[in-house]
Amino acid sequence: MIQQLKMQYPIIQAPMAGVTTPKFVAACAEIGILGSIGAGYLDGEQTRRFIQEVKSLTHKPFAVNLFVQEEPRIDVDVLQKARMALQPYYDELGLSPVQSVMSNEVFEGQLQAVLDEQVAVCSFTFGIPSADVIQRLKDKNVYVIGTATTLDEAIQIEQSGMDAVVLQGGEAGGHRGSFTNPMQLIARENLLQQVAGKISLPIIAAGGIVSSEDVKRALAGGAQAVQVGTALLVADECEISPLYKNAILQSKAHQTTITYAFTGKAARGIANRFTEQMKDAVVAPYPLQHHLTSTIRKESAAQGNPQYLSMWMGENCHLVQPGTVKSIIEKLV
């Protein structure tokens, strides 16, 4: 896998939808790891433009990550209750409640952009794409990666004909890639132990990787590569807001939580007033909740208020150190 993707180091920059920018992805690719575009919230045309921008900044291979999405069944009663739960936040921030939450079908457009632009790698989160989608990618020599959070999911990914699997440990920041129930939070090393030797696909270990020791243990435990997210969020080239960067750099141990409140899907981020107050609230299914809270998150960012912001980060966020992408990667290897 490493040779095939022309990677100097066995490290993949986690896709992180909504966070990655062309400059950041290209900077990661340029220093010899696999840069990844988190295309989850983009439509087909935005995905195409993003890919073209990265290609203008680097000639190295990079990945595009897509969400495998089922169209949610809209239960009007649940939607109304979810809106009511968010009303105090709309009021406090001086916002009108979000009315339209219809999600558009963007997957086909994103996929076409990946195929047309001859992207080297396409990875998937939240499930397994259809056999037809996998075949179309393979026909264009695209390397296809799935995301698993359990042994069962890893086996399903192998059976689908994908080329590699990201094993997402329970420590990982951001959305859980789970697609089977019940959702499980298995620590990275335990998950690797459960899966290594049970599948023949190359394994990419993810979740809480912040030191060279973490990388060594993952590779010794049967992974061919590791995927790193939070440690790279604090890189100079990463263009997240100073508010978000500072929250990571000032975080303490045990400050993250798993919440459904922002998007309707389980995700790990820093605990704040919103995650605490919304613990028992009715939440609309993904991506409806994502649309309902979008203006809350945007306005909170504009006001510099971290209490109603989704700031995804892994369990080991308190251990990361700032620096350039190059200096962070050199410490990991």
Side-chain angles (χ1 to χ4, degrees):
M1 178 177 76
I2 309 302
Q3 289 78 19
Q4 196 175 341
L5 301 177
K6 302 184 180 132
M7 293 156 65
Q8 191 180 334
Y9 305 110
I11 296 175
I12 295 171
Q13 164 244 313
M16 302 184 288
V19 164
T20 49
T21 60
K23 178 183 154 191
F24 175 56
V25 174
C28 290
E30 279 296 300
I31 63 110
I33 70 173
L34 186 71
S36 309
I37 297 171
Y41 301 132
L42 308 178
D43 62 24
E45 199 41 54
Q46 290 166 330
T47 303
R48 188 181 301 273
R49 283 201 302 272
F50 200 129
I51 293 167
Q52 288 169 348
E53 278 189 66
V54 175
K55 281 161 83 171
S56 74
L57 297 169
T58 183
H59 296 299
K60 301 276 180 71
F62 56 89
V64 172
N65 177 263
L66 303 180
F67 291 169
V68 178
Q69 236 161 273
E70 281 178 31
E71 193 57 39
R73 193 175 58 81
I74 296 182
D75 181 320
V76 178
D77 184 48
V78 168
L79 201 55
Q80 196 48 38
K81 282 178 177 161
R83 269 211 193 95
M84 281 163 62
L86 294 170
Q87 191 62 49
Y89 306 100
Y90 294 134
D91 291 344
E92 189 179 329
L93 295 166
L95 299 166
S96 301
V98 172
Q99 296 303 328
S100 170
V101 292
M102 290 304 289
S103 54
N104 300 320
E105 170 48 60
V106 297
F107 185 85
E108 182 56 37
Q110 293 173 321
L111 180 69
Q112 202 54 54
V114 169
L115 295 168
D116 293 347
E117 295 295 330
Q118 299 173 314
V119 173
V121 182
C122 189
S123 64
F124 293 94
T125 307
F126 304 151
I128 298 175
S130 69
D132 172 63
V133 165
I134 294 170
Q135 194 56 52
R136 284 165 67 190
L137 288 162
K138 285 179 167 282
D139 288 347
K140 292 278 193 174
N141 298 315
V142 180
Y143 194 85
V144 187
I145 302 175
T147 304
T149 61
T150 64
L151 170 60
D152 175 45
E153 289 177 350
I155 289 169
Q156 287 187 48
I157 284 168
E158 179 169 56
Q159 288 169 344
S160 75
M162 293 200 211
D163 297 304
V165 61
V166 171
L167 285 188
Q168 188 191 38
E171 307 93 330
H175 283 101
R176 304 296 303 150
S178 314
F179 56 91
T180 56
N181 290 317
M183 183 191 79
Q184 295 180 55
L185 288 174
I186 306 168
R188 181 190 71 244
E189 290 193 5
N190 294 346
L191 184 58
L192 186 54
Q193 221 169 12
Q194 288 174 23
V195 178
K198 303 283 197 314
I199 61 170
S200 55
L201 288 187
I203 291 171
I204 300 149
I209 292 177
V210 297
S211 70
S212 59
E213 275 308 304
D214 294 333
V215 177
K216 274 184 202 149
R217 278 203 302 273
L219 298 180
Q224 274 73 51
V226 298
Q227 184 165 282
V228 176
T230 309
L232 286 167
L233 280 178
V234 296
D236 297 347
E237 296 90 336
C238 182
E239 298 168 271
I240 59 172
S241 69
L243 190 68
Y244 192 169
K245 234 173 234 194
N246 290 337
I248 298 170
L249 292 169
Q250 290 164 16
S251 64
K252 307 279 190 292
H254 314 299
Q255 257 196 310
T256 66
T257 187
I258 297 278
T259 182
Y260 289 80
F262 285 109
T263 65
K265 266 199 186 291
R268 183 180 293 285
I270 198 154
N272 56 18
R273 200 179 304 148
F274 190 81
T275 62
E276 191 54 40
Q277 291 174 348
M278 288 287 290
K279 252 183 190 160
D280 302 315
V282 173
V283 168
Y286 178 89
L288 306 179
Q289 185 75 8
H290 165 70
H291 296 311
L292 287 175
T293 65
S294 60
T295 57
I296 292 170
R297 286 173 283 141
K298 202 175 278 183
E299 185 57 29
S300 295
Q303 293 184 15
N305 175 2
Q307 292 307 320
Y308 304 148
L309 265 183
S310 56
M311 292 190 282
W312 307 135
M313 57 190 84
E315 262 188 359
N316 292 335
C317 49
H318 60 291
L319 300 174
V320 305
Q321 300 289 323
T324 61
V325 167
K326 189 172 190 290
S327 71
I328 291 166
I329 295 303
E330 282 170 351
K331 278 183 195 156
L332 287 175
V333 293

